[in-house]
Amino acid sequence: MSRHHPSPETLMCYAAGSLPEPHSLVIATHLSLCAACRADTAEMDALGGAMLEDLSPTLMEPDARDRLLERLEEPEVPRPAPPPSDPVLPSPLRAYVGRGIDAIAWKKLGRGIEEFRLPIPGGDTYTTRLIRIAAGRDVPSHSHDGDELTLVLAGGFTDGDQNYRRGDLAADADPAVPHRPVADADGACICLIVTEGKLRFSGPLGPLLTYFRG
Ligand SMILES: [Zn+2]
């Protein structure tokens, strides 16, 4: 059971379909692994639909209400489709990766760190990747200023007094505060990471990417 969840605001944006596609994918993958957030999101969907049902048609353009209701019923964002069909990659994520976890062609970055970039729209704004870090590896203390989401898919890591395991979402509460994440010792830690900015590698594992890329 997950212990670190998206904020209610993030879930609201997800339910409304207003998150960028990479972030939607991260949240959809978290929802595949988190019954509590699935229930919260279902409530938000129901509430949003009920609010639209209550709107007086005269307040909206002809057909606008129907279009909005249709959009709620046919979301364009990725949605969870449990049960997971891969031991590591839940269905929404596997659809983007295009293969099972055992078939991924990891690119070695050094020091026990590997990456696989997802072919996901985002252009120069976001980078979406899977990262695999060897058991017990630590990351030098660092700080950063980028917007980033990290979702644990296998293994785990500890950052300060917080431990993150499969299904847990790490978002930057205060990215300026230095931290030093350490991968748990019980196996490789695999994460899905969305980073804002083409060359801005930040977050728990990001500085390593910068280090080994240079
Ligand atoms: Zn959750």
Side-chain angles (χ1 to χ4, degrees):
M1 181 174 176
S2 302
R3 295 162 298 169
H4 301 277
H5 307 270
S7 68
E9 293 75 18
T10 300
L11 284 182
M12 290 275 281
C13 290
Y14 172 81
S18 60
L19 287 179
E21 187 169 354
H23 297 69
S24 267
L25 174 61
V26 171
I27 300 305
T29 305
H30 174 78
L31 292 181
S32 291
L33 301 170
C34 180
C37 285
R38 272 204 305 277
D40 287 350
T41 305
E43 274 185 27
M44 290 172 187
D45 281 343
L47 183 63
M51 289 173 66
L52 285 172
E53 296 278 5
D54 288 343
L55 281 177
S56 164
T58 60
L59 293 178
M60 304 183 73
E61 293 178 14
D63 300 330
R65 176 175 167 280
D66 287 342
R67 286 202 304 273
L68 277 170
L69 286 171
E70 276 177 21
R71 181 151 178 267
L72 277 180
E73 290 164 4
E74 297 178 19
E76 295 171 4
V77 296
R79 292 288 167 145
S85 56
D86 183 279
V88 172
L89 306 176
S91 296
L93 179 56
R94 178 166 180 165
Y96 275 89
V97 174
R99 69 203 75 178
I101 190 71
D102 292 334
I104 289 179
W106 295 97
K107 177 186 174 187
K108 292 187 188 306
L109 299 178
R111 271 180 54 108
I113 312 289
E114 297 163 292
E115 77 162 8
F116 174 77
R117 293 203 177 201
L118 271 67
I120 186 171
D124 293 342
T125 307
Y126 302 104
T127 303
T128 307
R129 53 160 72 88
L130 298 173
I131 287 293
R132 184 165 69 179
I133 181 169
R137 288 288 185 184
D138 67 319
V139 180
S141 181
H142 61 273
S143 61
H144 50 83
D145 59 4
D147 171 36
E148 186 170 81
L149 286 176
T150 301
L151 179 70
V152 179
L153 300 168
F157 69 88
T158 298
D159 190 7
D161 59 356
Q162 298 292 320
N163 180 250
Y164 300 87
R165 302 289 296 182
R166 177 169 166 83
D168 284 334
L169 184 73
D172 299 326
D174 186 354
V177 175
H179 58 150
R180 181 174 168 272
V182 181
D184 291 351
D186 61 348
C189 177
I190 300 176
C191 295
L192 170 65
I193 303 178
V194 173
T195 310
E196 182 181 12
K198 194 173 184 180
L199 292 175
R200 187 188 298 166
F201 304 113
S202 60
L205 305 179
L208 278 174
L209 307 183
T210 306
Y211 181 80
F212 290 107
R213 195 167 299 273

